[in-house]
Amino acid sequence: MRFSPLAVSANVRYAYDASRPVGDRVLPSKVLIGGTPLDAGRTYRVAALAYTLIGADGFGALSGFTDPVRGSRDYEAFRAYLQASETVAPPALDRVTAL
């Protein structure tokens, strides 16, 4: 299986170790959201493509989601975002770090 780290929002940073077993590569202590460490006892709302949420691309970790909210289709939402944005700049490249 090929390892492909997920891209994250601009306010999220994490480190991973690709040599660790699948399901144990990202340590919760290495995840920061808005500069605050991830709280494993807290519930978070995650936005993702429907394809990713159902595990169709191999990321089964998100398949246990609850209380889904469905807006427009992924393509339509992305297109609307691009149309509403005068300029779209790439995010910082230092948000995901390999250990």
Side-chain angles (χ1 to χ4, degrees), residues 58-95:
F59 292 106
L62 299 176
S63 64
F65 66 89
T66 60
D67 193 24
V69 176
R70 178 76 187 236
S72 57
R73 294 183 184 266
D74 300 335
Y75 166 79
E76 293 161 353
F78 184 57
R79 184 173 179 211
Y81 169 77
L82 291 175
Q83 289 175 330
S85 303
E86 189 171 312
T87 302
V88 178
L93 297 177
D94 63 348
R95 296 171 299 140

Side-chain angles (χ1 to χ4, degrees), residues 18-92:
S19 69
R20 295 177 65 96
V22 171
D24 195 30
R25 291 180 174 161
V26 177
L27 301 175
S29 64
K30 300 290 185 184
V31 178
L32 299 176
I33 302 171
T36 303
L38 177 75
D39 179 352
R42 183 174 167 204
T43 299
Y44 293 89
R45 179 162 301 276
V46 175
L49 297 172
Y51 193 75
T52 300
L53 289 175
I54 64 172
D57 56 5
F59 292 106
L62 299 176
S63 64
F65 66 89
T66 60
D67 193 24
V69 176
R70 178 76 187 236
S72 57
R73 294 183 184 266
D74 300 335
Y75 166 79
E76 293 161 353
F78 184 57
R79 184 173 179 211
Y81 169 77
L82 291 175
Q83 289 175 330
S85 303
E86 189 171 312
T87 302
V88 178

